[in-house]
Amino acid sequence: MSRKHKVAIAGSGLAALATAARLHEQGVKEIAIYANGLGGTPYIAAINFVLPNNPYGDTPEQYAEDMLAAGYHIGNRELVTEMANATVRGYELLCRWGVTFAHNEDGTIKLRHVSGHKYPRSLCQTTDLIGAEIEKVMIPKLKEAGIEFHDRCQVVGLLTEGDKPGGKIEGFTVSENGGEPYNVYAPVVVAAWGGVGNLLGTSTYPDDVRGNTLGMAKQAGADLVDLEFIEFEPMVMMTPPGAVGEPCPTAMLGEGGTLLNSDGERFLLRVRPQGEAGAPKSLINHEIWKEVAAGKGNPHGGIWVDLRHIDEKVLKAYPWFYNRLVNNGCDPKKELLEVGPMPHSFSGGIKVDRNYESSVPGLYAVGEACGGIHGACRCAGNAASQATLSGLLCAEGILRTGELDREIAGQPVSVKRAQEAQEKFLPELQRIAAHALGVFRNGPDLEEALRGAHAILSDPEAAKDSLTVQTALAIHLIAKAALNRRESRGTHNRLDFPESSPEFEREFTL
Ligand SMILES: Cc1cc2nc3c(=O)[nH]c(=O)nc-3n(C[C@H](O)[C@H](O)[C@H](O)COP(=O)(O)OP(=O)(O)OC[C@H]3O[C@@H](n4cnc5c(N)ncnc54)[C@H](O)[C@@H]3O)c2cc1C
């Protein structure tokens, strides 16, 4: 069995939906989406757009400057500028496909002020998560428009001309419902498969984002960028089991929440006497790490957040968070919550040009699958904006450069599967990655991770399974990028760099 399309999209998160929507608007037919879940999209609470006539005099230029500054000036200026300039068009695209946003009582659009931005420019829904709303309204409309959705399909390998890395893209191989893999042919493939997911063990990511896709892109010959920059969310629930991975919004600190160590001390006040509210995520991560290293952490490797004194009405205004806790037997009005940093999103990925095309002709990348925009640290709410805007710009880029009528000859399925290899190597790879690639890194651990991933890549047993090889490759690539970046910058912190270095001081001095 095989299938053929003009455009095959891997993933059905926001970036995929925005790409498909804009392609359809431009008259492209035979678009198909293959995905094994909804990714991080349903959990999106905040999405940023700079709208005309906003009350703050905000502009796309200011938005671009904020992104570049938050990213420690590593982001690609051309991509950032084009993304910021498209902000209104991205908002309008979502509106055209039925997405609605919360308004104030006076009828103006509700704008929240989130971390990294000069002005309030974060849109939301107050009854549900905006990401869940996007999936709910856009998927049925896209289906009605004739876009094919192939659910429960795992993309397991990319197809290139002559099976050569860097050759023109020819499609991908999928496994439907875990069954025998088959080939899907398309002259244009869009990687919309999200970020590094659970490569590092427990994270906020859902299970369908596994991160091996980075290795898959490398196998196809795609250039990659900014791989050392993994965003850690500082206050993620570590217990009870049903709530593990749920981020406690940092906005709770603005509502009066406090962070405590095992002595009951508000440790953040030592470095931030004005209080926890508004503290940058990198500072919170840093201080939590110090408490844990000093033996003052919770049993799960984090600290505690105290929300008991916050009015119940305020807590309930974050329904996804409050309900998840209560539904899992945890009452934030009565108990301290065990929270700590967990991997949350990825700023690196496939390197793209201004059409969002990679170095593999015909392979495009959008959303968290592509890198280069957020630089060393991303502004809050900007993953969702970037997913929307990269989708929009990529769809327009495909019209400019995609060879939509290119004929493809077909080739045998070449991915390999060996359950024993997965059972043997995947837990070890996760251990290696979690140990070396956390909030704080050091040269010896990174070198050990490189050696460990390399040993697995050289093992003939591992070579029998494509998922294992791709996972090892992804971890090897991230560890290599982290080892090469000697200085602490953004979300990448090196402990073997002297603490007194100006870079380190700049990051943690407020
Ligand atoms: C709990 C949580 C809360 C978040 N809150 C926010 C927020 O408020 N604001 C914000 O800006 N960002 C937030 N983020 C980040 C944001 O969700 C992601 O960056 C965003 O969803 C990226 O969109 P995407 O379409 O690129 O990827 P995703 O939404 O992650 O979608 C990836 C898609 O690819 C599919 N996929 C993955 N691998 C394969 C494969 N091998 N084969 C087939 N399909 C595959 C997945 O099933 C999914 O359909 C949050 C993330 C999490 C986890």
Side-chain angles (χ1 to χ4, degrees):
M1 168 184 174
S2 67
R3 289 204 177 97
K4 272 193 176 176
H5 310 282
K6 295 254 189 246
V7 182
I9 303 178
S12 65
L14 175 51
L17 304 185
T19 310
R22 189 68 190 127
L23 281 170
H24 175 78
E25 287 181 346
Q26 297 175 114
V28 177
K29 304 265 186 287
E30 298 175 50
I31 305 165
I33 287 181
Y34 288 78
N36 56 344
L38 298 175
T41 291
Y43 307 98
I44 294 169
I47 181 166
N48 311 314
F49 293 111
V50 178
L51 301 181
N53 306 321
N54 65 80
Y56 309 98
D58 196 5
T59 59
E61 290 74 27
Q62 182 61 55
Y63 183 31
E65 285 311 314
D66 288 359
M67 275 191 253
L68 289 165
Y72 290 69
H73 298 282
I74 285 187
N76 177 321
R77 184 171 275 277
E78 185 186 36
L79 292 181
V80 170
T81 307
E82 292 207 353
M83 171 179 152
N85 287 341
T87 180
V88 175
R89 297 202 301 121
Y91 167 76
E92 289 171 350
L93 175 75
L94 295 186
C95 294
R96 281 200 298 279
W97 287 83
V99 179
T100 57
F101 299 94
H103 283 69
N104 298 309
E105 279 175 7
D106 64 4
T108 55
I109 203 142
K110 190 173 182 65
L111 295 175
R112 286 176 171 159
H113 195 172
V114 295
S115 143
H117 299 269
K118 182 165 184 187
Y119 298 117
R121 52 172 82 109
S122 173
L123 279 62
C124 62
Q125 272 288 358
T126 45
T127 45
D128 199 354
L129 286 159
I130 186 69
E133 150 97 4
I134 288 171
E135 295 276 357
K136 200 166 68 198
V137 300
M138 282 188 80
I139 291 180
K141 281 185 195 282
L142 286 164
K143 284 183 178 168
E144 262 172 50
I147 315 290
E148 280 181 32
F149 277 74
H150 298 270
D151 301 330
R152 295 182 298 282
C153 282
Q154 178 96 17
V155 173
V156 290
L158 291 171
L159 302 170
T160 52
E161 201 172 47
D163 204 17
K164 286 203 190 83
K168 284 186 180 180
I169 201 77
E170 298 208 321
F172 46 61
T173 305
V174 300
S175 163
E176 194 165 339
N177 279 321
E180 269 312 298
Y182 62 88
N183 286 346
V184 170
Y185 298 109
V188 169
V189 166
V190 182
W193 49 45
V196 288
N198 296 298
L199 271 185
L200 280 70
T202 314
S203 75
T204 65
Y205 282 93
D207 290 341
D208 52 310
V209 184
R210 305 177 82 161
N212 64 301
T213 43
L214 198 64
M216 208 187 287
K218 182 70 182 174
Q219 287 176 326
D223 290 342
L224 306 169
V225 66
D226 292 348
L227 302 188
E228 62 274 39
F229 300 117
I230 298 167
E231 295 280 332
F232 287 82
E233 183 68 16
M235 292 158 48
V236 183
M237 294 295 295
M238 300 183 126
T239 186
V244 172
E246 179 70 42
C248 171
T250 44
M252 284 296 178
L253 301 179
E255 308 282 10
T258 56
L259 294 170
L260 305 176
N261 64 17
S262 58
D263 293 338
E265 183 199 357
R266 285 174 65 185
F267 57 89
L268 205 62
L269 298 188
R270 274 188 244 132
V271 291
R272 196 177 151 85
Q274 68 269 43
E276 289 90 345
K281 288 183 183 181
S282 53
L283 180 76
I284 305 174
N285 280 331
H286 184 221
E287 295 306 312
I288 292 177
W289 181 85
K290 274 180 17 191
E291 293 310 303
V292 174
K296 294 186 177 184
N298 69 39
H300 295 93
I303 43 74
W304 289 265
V305 65
D306 189 358
L307 309 178
R308 290 173 300 179
H309 49 288
I310 298 178
D311 193 311
E312 198 163 11
K313 264 199 219 138
V314 174
L315 296 177
K316 284 185 173 169
Y318 298 82
W320 61 92
F321 171 68
Y322 180 82
N323 293 339
R324 177 131 183 227
L325 263 53
V326 171
N327 293 341
N328 284 287
C330 172
D331 185 348
K333 281 297 289 172
K334 294 201 179 121
E335 50 195 297
L336 295 175
L337 310 179
E338 288 189 34
V339 296
M342 279 187 201
H344 182 61
S345 74
F346 191 41
S347 295
I350 299 174
K351 190 172 178 182
V352 291
D353 63 16
R354 55 183 294 268
N355 296 309
Y356 284 82
E357 190 170 10
S358 72
S359 56
V360 176
L363 174 65
Y364 295 74
V366 290
E368 230 182 291
C370 73
I373 289 103
H374 306 301
C377 183
R378 87 167 157 78
C379 297
N382 247 18
S385 323
Q386 189 264 346
T388 309
L389 296 166
S390 60
L392 172 106
L393 293 167
C394 174
E396 294 174 355
I398 289 171
L399 262 276
R400 281 191 292 271
T401 59
E403 297 177 312
L404 288 162
D405 294 319
R406 176 161 52 93
E407 284 297 322
I408 292 170
Q411 49 180 291
V413 169
S414 62
V415 293
K416 298 178 199 151
R417 283 202 299 195
Q419 191 63 28
E420 320 78 66
Q422 294 184 14
E423 283 163 16
K424 180 170 174 193
F425 297 111
L426 294 183
E428 172 62 3
L429 281 165
Q430 218 168 53
R431 190 202 61 74
I432 290 173
H435 182 69
L437 291 165
V439 173
F440 279 84
R441 294 146 182 200
N442 63 70
D445 282 351
L446 290 169
E447 281 169 7
E448 194 189 309
L450 269 184
R451 272 196 296 275
H454 190 267
I456 291 175
L457 283 169
S458 318
D459 191 315
E461 283 290 301
K464 291 180 186 160
D465 184 66
S466 300
L467 175 68
T468 302
V469 172
Q470 291 156 1
T471 306
L473 201 49
I475 289 167
H476 192 274
L477 288 162
I478 299 174
K480 186 90 194 308
L483 193 61
N484 287 347
R485 187 165 293 285
R486 293 281 311 147
E487 88 279 18
S488 286
R489 189 183 281 242
T491 59
H492 170 75
N493 297 293
R494 286 288 293 256
L495 278 179
D496 50 354
F497 203 80
E499 277 226 3
S500 55
S501 81
E503 299 267 12
F504 202 88
E505 290 289 298
R506 250 199 312 281
E507 176 158 12
F508 294 111
T509 305
L510 298 178

